[in-house]
PDB file of all heavy atoms in Angstrom:
ATOM      1  N   PRO X   1      59.631 -51.600 -68.224  1.00  0.00           N
ATOM      2  CA  PRO X   1      60.982 -51.028 -68.094  1.00  0.00           C
ATOM      3  C   PRO X   1      61.565 -50.690 -69.462  1.00  0.00           C
ATOM      4  O   PRO X   1      61.046 -51.112 -70.504  1.00  0.00           O
ATOM      5  CB  PRO X   1      61.764 -52.161 -67.418  1.00  0.00           C
ATOM      6  CG  PRO X   1      60.732 -53.008 -66.753  1.00  0.00           C
ATOM      7  CD  PRO X   1      59.540 -52.952 -67.666  1.00  0.00           C
ATOM      8  N   PRO X   2      62.650 -49.943 -69.492  1.00  0.00           N
ATOM      9  CA  PRO X   2      63.280 -49.593 -70.779  1.00  0.00           C
ATOM     10  C   PRO X   2      63.626 -50.827 -71.612  1.00  0.00           C
ATOM     11  O   PRO X   2      63.914 -51.898 -71.070  1.00  0.00           O
ATOM     12  CB  PRO X   2      64.548 -48.841 -70.347  1.00  0.00           C
ATOM     13  CG  PRO X   2      64.252 -48.330 -68.977  1.00  0.00           C
ATOM     14  CD  PRO X   2      63.360 -49.332 -68.344  1.00  0.00           C
ATOM     15  N   ASP X   3      63.615 -50.648 -72.924  1.00  0.00           N
ATOM     16  CA  ASP X   3      64.048 -51.728 -73.816  1.00  0.00           C
ATOM     17  C   ASP X   3      65.472 -52.142 -73.462  1.00  0.00           C
ATOM     18  O   ASP X   3      66.290 -51.304 -73.032  1.00  0.00           O
ATOM     19  CB  ASP X   3      64.010 -51.258 -75.272  1.00  0.00           C
ATOM     20  CG  ASP X   3      62.600 -50.943 -75.748  1.00  0.00           C
ATOM     21  OD1 ASP X   3      61.642 -51.333 -75.053  1.00  0.00           O
ATOM     22  OD2 ASP X   3      62.463 -50.292 -76.812  1.00  0.00           O
ATOM     23  N   HIS X   4      65.773 -53.404 -73.680  1.00  0.00           N
ATOM     24  CA  HIS X   4      67.102 -53.888 -73.302  1.00  0.00           C
ATOM     25  C   HIS X   4      68.218 -53.144 -74.043  1.00  0.00           C
ATOM     26  O   HIS X   4      69.295 -52.926 -73.497  1.00  0.00           O
ATOM     27  CB  HIS X   4      67.201 -55.400 -73.553  1.00  0.00           C
ATOM     28  CG  HIS X   4      67.225 -55.781 -75.006  1.00  0.00           C
ATOM     29  ND1 HIS X   4      66.079 -55.951 -75.765  1.00  0.00           N
ATOM     30  CD2 HIS X   4      68.275 -56.015 -75.830  1.00  0.00           C
ATOM     31  CE1 HIS X   4      66.422 -56.281 -76.991  1.00  0.00           C
ATOM     32  NE2 HIS X   4      67.737 -56.330 -77.069  1.00  0.00           N
ATOM     33  N   ALA X   5      67.943 -52.714 -75.274  1.00  0.00           N
ATOM     34  CA  ALA X   5      68.967 -51.998 -76.041  1.00  0.00           C
ATOM     35  C   ALA X   5      69.281 -50.633 -75.442  1.00  0.00           C
ATOM     36  O   ALA X   5      70.354 -50.064 -75.691  1.00  0.00           O
ATOM     37  CB  ALA X   5      68.510 -51.841 -77.490  1.00  0.00           C
ATOM     38  N   ASP X   6      68.347 -50.087 -74.654  1.00  0.00           N
ATOM     39  CA  ASP X   6      68.537 -48.763 -74.063  1.00  0.00           C
ATOM     40  C   ASP X   6      69.155 -48.809 -72.665  1.00  0.00           C
ATOM     41  O   ASP X   6      69.402 -47.754 -72.067  1.00  0.00           O
ATOM     42  CB  ASP X   6      67.186 -48.037 -73.976  1.00  0.00           C
ATOM     43  CG  ASP X   6      66.580 -47.754 -75.342  1.00  0.00           C
ATOM     44  OD1 ASP X   6      67.365 -47.588 -76.294  1.00  0.00           O
ATOM     45  OD2 ASP X   6      65.339 -47.720 -75.451  1.00  0.00           O
ATOM     46  N   LEU X   7      69.397 -49.992 -72.146  1.00  0.00           N
ATOM     47  CA  LEU X   7      69.895 -50.095 -70.773  1.00  0.00           C
ATOM     48  C   LEU X   7      71.215 -49.345 -70.542  1.00  0.00           C
ATOM     49  O   LEU X   7      71.354 -48.677 -69.508  1.00  0.00           O
ATOM     50  CB  LEU X   7      70.040 -51.564 -70.365  1.00  0.00           C
ATOM     51  CG  LEU X   7      68.723 -52.313 -70.135  1.00  0.00           C
ATOM     52  CD1 LEU X   7      68.993 -53.788 -69.857  1.00  0.00           C
ATOM     53  CD2 LEU X   7      67.943 -51.699 -68.976  1.00  0.00           C
ATOM     54  N   PRO X   8      72.182 -49.399 -71.442  1.00  0.00           N
ATOM     55  CA  PRO X   8      73.435 -48.672 -71.182  1.00  0.00           C
ATOM     56  C   PRO X   8      73.225 -47.183 -70.936  1.00  0.00           C
ATOM     57  O   PRO X   8      73.833 -46.605 -70.021  1.00  0.00           O
ATOM     58  CB  PRO X   8      74.257 -48.928 -72.442  1.00  0.00           C
ATOM     59  CG  PRO X   8      73.770 -50.260 -72.933  1.00  0.00           C
ATOM     60  CD  PRO X   8      72.292 -50.250 -72.655  1.00  0.00           C
ATOM     61  N   GLN X   9      72.342 -46.547 -71.717  1.00  0.00           N
ATOM     62  CA  GLN X   9      72.150 -45.106 -71.515  1.00  0.00           C
ATOM     63  C   GLN X   9      71.365 -44.819 -70.237  1.00  0.00           C
ATOM     64  O   GLN X   9      71.608 -43.813 -69.559  1.00  0.00           O
ATOM     65  CB  GLN X   9      71.470 -44.473 -72.733  1.00  0.00           C
ATOM     66  CG  GLN X   9      70.099 -45.008 -73.063  1.00  0.00           C
ATOM     67  CD  GLN X   9      69.489 -44.296 -74.268  1.00  0.00           C
ATOM     68  OE1 GLN X   9      69.613 -43.085 -74.418  1.00  0.00           O
ATOM     69  NE2 GLN X   9      68.813 -45.054 -75.130  1.00  0.00           N
ATOM     70  N   PHE X  10      70.438 -45.713 -69.871  1.00  0.00           N
ATOM     71  CA  PHE X  10      69.699 -45.504 -68.624  1.00  0.00           C
ATOM     72  C   PHE X  10      70.603 -45.695 -67.408  1.00  0.00           C
ATOM     73  O   PHE X  10      70.515 -44.946 -66.433  1.00  0.00           O
ATOM     74  CB  PHE X  10      68.482 -46.431 -68.565  1.00  0.00           C
ATOM     75  CG  PHE X  10      67.271 -45.869 -69.245  1.00  0.00           C
ATOM     76  CD1 PHE X  10      67.060 -46.080 -70.587  1.00  0.00           C
ATOM     77  CD2 PHE X  10      66.357 -45.097 -68.553  1.00  0.00           C
ATOM     78  CE1 PHE X  10      65.954 -45.545 -71.236  1.00  0.00           C
ATOM     79  CE2 PHE X  10      65.247 -44.552 -69.177  1.00  0.00           C
ATOM     80  CZ  PHE X  10      65.042 -44.777 -70.528  1.00  0.00           C
ATOM     81  N   MET X  11      71.473 -46.691 -67.450  1.00  0.00           N
ATOM     82  CA  MET X  11      72.390 -46.890 -66.332  1.00  0.00           C
ATOM     83  C   MET X  11      73.441 -45.787 -66.280  1.00  0.00           C
ATOM     84  O   MET X  11      73.907 -45.409 -65.198  1.00  0.00           O
ATOM     85  CB  MET X  11      73.047 -48.264 -66.426  1.00  0.00           C
ATOM     86  CG  MET X  11      72.080 -49.436 -66.214  1.00  0.00           C
ATOM     87  SD  MET X  11      71.051 -49.310 -64.723  1.00  0.00           S
ATOM     88  CE  MET X  11      72.273 -49.331 -63.415  1.00  0.00           C
ATOM     89  N   ALA X  12      73.798 -45.212 -67.428  1.00  0.00           N
ATOM     90  CA  ALA X  12      74.712 -44.068 -67.442  1.00  0.00           C
ATOM     91  C   ALA X  12      74.049 -42.862 -66.778  1.00  0.00           C
ATOM     92  O   ALA X  12      74.692 -42.113 -66.019  1.00  0.00           O
ATOM     93  CB  ALA X  12      75.129 -43.741 -68.867  1.00  0.00           C
ATOM     94  N   ARG X  13      72.763 -42.673 -67.048  1.00  0.00           N
ATOM     95  CA  ARG X  13      72.027 -41.584 -66.393  1.00  0.00           C
ATOM     96  C   ARG X  13      71.919 -41.844 -64.889  1.00  0.00           C
ATOM     97  O   ARG X  13      72.043 -40.917 -64.072  1.00  0.00           O
ATOM     98  CB  ARG X  13      70.629 -41.449 -67.006  1.00  0.00           C
ATOM     99  CG  ARG X  13      69.721 -40.437 -66.308  1.00  0.00           C
ATOM    100  CD  ARG X  13      70.267 -39.033 -66.388  1.00  0.00           C
ATOM    101  NE  ARG X  13      69.487 -38.080 -65.608  1.00  0.00           N
ATOM    102  CZ  ARG X  13      70.008 -37.228 -64.721  1.00  0.00           C
ATOM    103  NH1 ARG X  13      71.324 -37.203 -64.494  1.00  0.00           N
ATOM    104  NH2 ARG X  13      69.235 -36.403 -64.056  1.00  0.00           N
ATOM    105  N   PHE X  14      71.718 -43.082 -64.503  1.00  0.00           N
ATOM    106  CA  PHE X  14      71.681 -43.485 -63.094  1.00  0.00           C
ATOM    107  C   PHE X  14      72.998 -43.076 -62.421  1.00  0.00           C
ATOM    108  O   PHE X  14      72.993 -42.475 -61.338  1.00  0.00           O
ATOM    109  CB  PHE X  14      71.477 -45.003 -63.034  1.00  0.00           C
ATOM    110  CG  PHE X  14      71.290 -45.571 -61.654  1.00  0.00           C
ATOM    111  CD1 PHE X  14      70.039 -45.617 -61.064  1.00  0.00           C
ATOM    112  CD2 PHE X  14      72.372 -46.095 -60.955  1.00  0.00           C
ATOM    113  CE1 PHE X  14      69.860 -46.169 -59.805  1.00  0.00           C
ATOM    114  CE2 PHE X  14      72.210 -46.644 -59.696  1.00  0.00           C
ATOM    115  CZ  PHE X  14      70.947 -46.687 -59.120  1.00  0.00           C
ATOM    116  N   ASP X  15      74.106 -43.368 -63.066  1.00  0.00           N
ATOM    117  CA  ASP X  15      75.417 -42.997 -62.516  1.00  0.00           C
ATOM    118  C   ASP X  15      75.558 -41.482 -62.360  1.00  0.00           C
ATOM    119  O   ASP X  15      75.998 -40.984 -61.319  1.00  0.00           O
ATOM    120  CB  ASP X  15      76.531 -43.498 -63.432  1.00  0.00           C
ATOM    121  CG  ASP X  15      76.813 -44.984 -63.267  1.00  0.00           C
ATOM    122  OD1 ASP X  15      76.210 -45.618 -62.379  1.00  0.00           O
ATOM    123  OD2 ASP X  15      77.632 -45.511 -64.036  1.00  0.00           O
ATOM    124  N   ARG X  16      75.184 -40.748 -63.398  1.00  0.00           N
ATOM    125  CA  ARG X  16      75.345 -39.288 -63.350  1.00  0.00           C
ATOM    126  C   ARG X  16      74.485 -38.677 -62.251  1.00  0.00           C
ATOM    127  O   ARG X  16      74.909 -37.739 -61.566  1.00  0.00           O
ATOM    128  CB  ARG X  16      74.981 -38.663 -64.704  1.00  0.00           C
ATOM    129  CG  ARG X  16      75.971 -38.964 -65.820  1.00  0.00           C
ATOM    130  CD  ARG X  16      75.744 -38.035 -67.008  1.00  0.00           C
ATOM    131  NE  ARG X  16      74.374 -38.125 -67.538  1.00  0.00           N
ATOM    132  CZ  ARG X  16      73.965 -38.998 -68.428  1.00  0.00           C
ATOM    133  NH1 ARG X  16      74.816 -39.912 -68.910  1.00  0.00           N
ATOM    134  NH2 ARG X  16      72.720 -38.994 -68.869  1.00  0.00           N
ATOM    135  N   ALA X  17      73.292 -39.203 -62.077  1.00  0.00           N
ATOM    136  CA  ALA X  17      72.357 -38.612 -61.114  1.00  0.00           C
ATOM    137  C   ALA X  17      72.830 -38.777 -59.676  1.00  0.00           C
ATOM    138  O   ALA X  17      72.650 -37.875 -58.852  1.00  0.00           O
ATOM    139  CB  ALA X  17      70.984 -39.243 -61.280  1.00  0.00           C
ATOM    140  N   TYR X  18      73.437 -39.912 -59.377  1.00  0.00           N
ATOM    141  CA  TYR X  18      73.727 -40.218 -57.978  1.00  0.00           C
ATOM    142  C   TYR X  18      75.212 -40.170 -57.616  1.00  0.00           C
ATOM    143  O   TYR X  18      75.557 -40.255 -56.439  1.00  0.00           O
ATOM    144  CB  TYR X  18      73.147 -41.595 -57.627  1.00  0.00           C
ATOM    145  CG  TYR X  18      71.653 -41.657 -57.873  1.00  0.00           C
ATOM    146  CD1 TYR X  18      71.115 -42.598 -58.741  1.00  0.00           C
ATOM    147  CD2 TYR X  18      70.786 -40.754 -57.263  1.00  0.00           C
ATOM    148  CE1 TYR X  18      69.744 -42.649 -58.991  1.00  0.00           C
ATOM    149  CE2 TYR X  18      69.423 -40.790 -57.498  1.00  0.00           C
ATOM    150  CZ  TYR X  18      68.908 -41.744 -58.371  1.00  0.00           C
ATOM    151  OH  TYR X  18      67.550 -41.774 -58.621  1.00  0.00           O
ATOM    152  N   THR X  19      76.074 -40.015 -58.620  1.00  0.00           N
ATOM    153  CA  THR X  19      77.506 -39.985 -58.290  1.00  0.00           C
ATOM    154  C   THR X  19      78.264 -38.819 -58.906  1.00  0.00           C
ATOM    155  O   THR X  19      79.350 -38.481 -58.435  1.00  0.00           O
ATOM    156  CB  THR X  19      78.202 -41.286 -58.757  1.00  0.00           C
ATOM    157  OG1 THR X  19      78.139 -41.379 -60.188  1.00  0.00           O
ATOM    158  CG2 THR X  19      77.552 -42.504 -58.155  1.00  0.00           C
ATOM    159  N   SER X  20      77.759 -38.185 -59.958  1.00  0.00           N
ATOM    160  CA  SER X  20      78.536 -37.143 -60.639  1.00  0.00           C
ATOM    161  C   SER X  20      77.598 -36.080 -61.205  1.00  0.00           C
ATOM    162  O   SER X  20      76.822 -36.365 -62.120  1.00  0.00           O
ATOM    163  CB  SER X  20      79.370 -37.747 -61.774  1.00  0.00           C
ATOM    164  OG  SER X  20      80.094 -36.747 -62.442  1.00  0.00           O
ATOM    165  N   PRO X  21      77.644 -34.827 -60.732  1.00  0.00           N
ATOM    166  CA  PRO X  21      78.469 -34.404 -59.597  1.00  0.00           C
ATOM    167  C   PRO X  21      77.888 -34.934 -58.293  1.00  0.00           C
ATOM    168  O   PRO X  21      76.687 -35.188 -58.221  1.00  0.00           O
ATOM    169  CB  PRO X  21      78.375 -32.878 -59.666  1.00  0.00           C
ATOM    170  CG  PRO X  21      77.034 -32.627 -60.280  1.00  0.00           C
ATOM    171  CD  PRO X  21      76.826 -33.731 -61.275  1.00  0.00           C
ATOM    172  N   PRO X  22      78.698 -35.110 -57.267  1.00  0.00           N
ATOM    173  CA  PRO X  22      78.188 -35.694 -56.028  1.00  0.00           C
ATOM    174  C   PRO X  22      77.184 -34.783 -55.335  1.00  0.00           C
ATOM    175  O   PRO X  22      77.381 -33.575 -55.243  1.00  0.00           O
ATOM    176  CB  PRO X  22      79.454 -35.887 -55.180  1.00  0.00           C
ATOM    177  CG  PRO X  22      80.447 -34.916 -55.748  1.00  0.00           C
ATOM    178  CD  PRO X  22      80.136 -34.809 -57.206  1.00  0.00           C
ATOM    179  N   LEU X  23      76.129 -35.382 -54.862  1.00  0.00           N
ATOM    180  CA  LEU X  23      75.186 -34.662 -54.016  1.00  0.00           C
ATOM    181  C   LEU X  23      75.807 -34.506 -52.629  1.00  0.00           C
ATOM    182  O   LEU X  23      76.723 -35.229 -52.258  1.00  0.00           O
ATOM    183  CB  LEU X  23      73.880 -35.452 -53.903  1.00  0.00           C
ATOM    184  CG  LEU X  23      73.104 -35.734 -55.191  1.00  0.00           C
ATOM    185  CD1 LEU X  23      72.015 -36.773 -54.937  1.00  0.00           C
ATOM    186  CD2 LEU X  23      72.485 -34.459 -55.730  1.00  0.00           C
ATOM    187  N   SER X  24      75.306 -33.566 -51.838  1.00  0.00           N
ATOM    188  CA  SER X  24      75.749 -33.469 -50.450  1.00  0.00           C
ATOM    189  C   SER X  24      75.330 -34.737 -49.703  1.00  0.00           C
ATOM    190  O   SER X  24      74.432 -35.462 -50.130  1.00  0.00           O
ATOM    191  CB  SER X  24      75.122 -32.251 -49.777  1.00  0.00           C
ATOM    192  OG  SER X  24      73.728 -32.445 -49.613  1.00  0.00           O
ATOM    193  N   ARG X  25      75.992 -35.013 -48.582  1.00  0.00           N
ATOM    194  CA  ARG X  25      75.634 -36.203 -47.795  1.00  0.00           C
ATOM    195  C   ARG X  25      74.172 -36.152 -47.386  1.00  0.00           C
ATOM    196  O   ARG X  25      73.454 -37.165 -47.455  1.00  0.00           O
ATOM    197  CB  ARG X  25      76.525 -36.296 -46.550  1.00  0.00           C
ATOM    198  CG  ARG X  25      76.145 -37.452 -45.607  1.00  0.00           C
ATOM    199  CD  ARG X  25      77.148 -37.582 -44.480  1.00  0.00           C
ATOM    200  NE  ARG X  25      76.792 -38.658 -43.567  1.00  0.00           N
ATOM    201  CZ  ARG X  25      76.252 -38.480 -42.360  1.00  0.00           C
ATOM    202  NH1 ARG X  25      75.991 -37.245 -41.922  1.00  0.00           N
ATOM    203  NH2 ARG X  25      75.971 -39.517 -41.588  1.00  0.00           N
ATOM    204  N   PHE X  26      73.702 -34.980 -46.982  1.00  0.00           N
ATOM    205  CA  PHE X  26      72.309 -34.824 -46.561  1.00  0.00           C
ATOM    206  C   PHE X  26      71.357 -35.187 -47.693  1.00  0.00           C
ATOM    207  O   PHE X  26      70.388 -35.932 -47.511  1.00  0.00           O
ATOM    208  CB  PHE X  26      72.084 -33.377 -46.105  1.00  0.00           C
ATOM    209  CG  PHE X  26      70.841 -33.181 -45.288  1.00  0.00           C
ATOM    210  CD1 PHE X  26      70.865 -33.361 -43.918  1.00  0.00           C
ATOM    211  CD2 PHE X  26      69.652 -32.801 -45.896  1.00  0.00           C
ATOM    212  CE1 PHE X  26      69.710 -33.166 -43.148  1.00  0.00           C
ATOM    213  CE2 PHE X  26      68.509 -32.610 -45.150  1.00  0.00           C
ATOM    214  CZ  PHE X  26      68.537 -32.787 -43.774  1.00  0.00           C
ATOM    215  N   ARG X  27      71.646 -34.679 -48.894  1.00  0.00           N
ATOM    216  CA  ARG X  27      70.789 -34.966 -50.052  1.00  0.00           C
ATOM    217  C   ARG X  27      70.900 -36.426 -50.480  1.00  0.00           C
ATOM    218  O   ARG X  27      69.937 -37.023 -50.942  1.00  0.00           O
ATOM    219  CB  ARG X  27      71.170 -34.041 -51.206  1.00  0.00           C
ATOM    220  CG  ARG X  27      70.837 -32.593 -50.979  1.00  0.00           C
ATOM    221  CD  ARG X  27      69.364 -32.307 -51.262  1.00  0.00           C
ATOM    222  NE  ARG X  27      69.112 -32.290 -52.700  1.00  0.00           N
ATOM    223  CZ  ARG X  27      68.003 -32.759 -53.275  1.00  0.00           C
ATOM    224  NH1 ARG X  27      67.069 -33.319 -52.541  1.00  0.00           N
ATOM    225  NH2 ARG X  27      67.846 -32.673 -54.588  1.00  0.00           N
ATOM    226  N   GLN X  28      72.084 -37.013 -50.317  1.00  0.00           N
ATOM    227  CA  GLN X  28      72.234 -38.424 -50.659  1.00  0.00           C
ATOM    228  C   GLN X  28      71.386 -39.303 -49.747  1.00  0.00           C
ATOM    229  O   GLN X  28      70.790 -40.281 -50.199  1.00  0.00           O
ATOM    230  CB  GLN X  28      73.709 -38.832 -50.571  1.00  0.00           C
ATOM    231  CG  GLN X  28      74.547 -38.315 -51.732  1.00  0.00           C
ATOM    232  CD  GLN X  28      76.024 -38.588 -51.523  1.00  0.00           C
ATOM    233  OE1 GLN X  28      76.497 -38.664 -50.397  1.00  0.00           O
ATOM    234  NE2 GLN X  28      76.754 -38.739 -52.612  1.00  0.00           N
ATOM    235  N   ILE X  29      71.340 -38.957 -48.456  1.00  0.00           N
ATOM    236  CA  ILE X  29      70.510 -39.727 -47.529  1.00  0.00           C
ATOM    237  C   ILE X  29      69.042 -39.579 -47.900  1.00  0.00           C
ATOM    238  O   ILE X  29      68.276 -40.552 -47.905  1.00  0.00           O
ATOM    239  CB  ILE X  29      70.775 -39.288 -46.074  1.00  0.00           C
ATOM    240  CG1 ILE X  29      72.222 -39.609 -45.686  1.00  0.00           C
ATOM    241  CG2 ILE X  29      69.804 -39.981 -45.121  1.00  0.00           C
ATOM    242  CD1 ILE X  29      72.652 -39.004 -44.360  1.00  0.00           C
ATOM    243  N   GLN X  30      68.636 -38.341 -48.227  1.00  0.00           N
ATOM    244  CA  GLN X  30      67.264 -38.126 -48.695  1.00  0.00           C
ATOM    245  C   GLN X  30      66.924 -39.014 -49.887  1.00  0.00           C
ATOM    246  O   GLN X  30      65.803 -39.495 -50.022  1.00  0.00           O
ATOM    247  CB  GLN X  30      67.078 -36.668 -49.124  1.00  0.00           C
ATOM    248  CG  GLN X  30      66.744 -35.686 -48.027  1.00  0.00           C
ATOM    249  CD  GLN X  30      66.385 -34.329 -48.620  1.00  0.00           C
ATOM    250  OE1 GLN X  30      66.861 -33.940 -49.687  1.00  0.00           O
ATOM    251  NE2 GLN X  30      65.536 -33.595 -47.915  1.00  0.00           N
ATOM    252  N   ALA X  31      67.913 -39.215 -50.751  1.00  0.00           N
ATOM    253  CA  ALA X  31      67.669 -39.849 -52.046  1.00  0.00           C
ATOM    254  C   ALA X  31      67.885 -41.357 -52.060  1.00  0.00           C
ATOM    255  O   ALA X  31      67.750 -41.981 -53.119  1.00  0.00           O
ATOM    256  CB  ALA X  31      68.571 -39.209 -53.105  1.00  0.00           C
ATOM    257  N   VAL X  32      68.172 -41.981 -50.911  1.00  0.00           N
ATOM    258  CA  VAL X  32      68.389 -43.434 -50.915  1.00  0.00           C
ATOM    259  C   VAL X  32      67.156 -44.157 -51.450  1.00  0.00           C
ATOM    260  O   VAL X  32      67.263 -45.114 -52.230  1.00  0.00           O
ATOM    261  CB  VAL X  32      68.769 -43.941 -49.509  1.00  0.00           C
ATOM    262  CG1 VAL X  32      68.801 -45.468 -49.476  1.00  0.00           C
ATOM    263  CG2 VAL X  32      70.130 -43.392 -49.102  1.00  0.00           C
ATOM    264  N   GLY X  33      65.981 -43.703 -51.066  1.00  0.00           N
ATOM    265  CA  GLY X  33      64.759 -44.304 -51.589  1.00  0.00           C
ATOM    266  C   GLY X  33      64.608 -44.090 -53.087  1.00  0.00           C
ATOM    267  O   GLY X  33      64.113 -44.964 -53.811  1.00  0.00           O
TER     268      GLY X  33
END
């Protein structure tokens, strides 16, 4: 997994990918996995 020092930027990317901009409901269901 990413180095511990890089976790903030990886979790920021996680947020952007799944919450901003919001995916459609259909695409969000596709992406739960």
Side-chain angles (χ1 to χ4, degrees):
D3 295 346
H4 70 275
D6 296 331
L7 288 175
Q9 61 179 320
F10 274 88
M11 292 309 297
R13 174 63 186 129
F14 185 86
D15 282 355
R16 290 195 302 274
Y18 302 122
T19 64
S20 179
L23 300 168
S24 69
R25 175 174 179 256
F26 197 87
R27 292 279 285 143
Q28 285 173 332
I29 296 170
Q30 275 188 331
V32 172

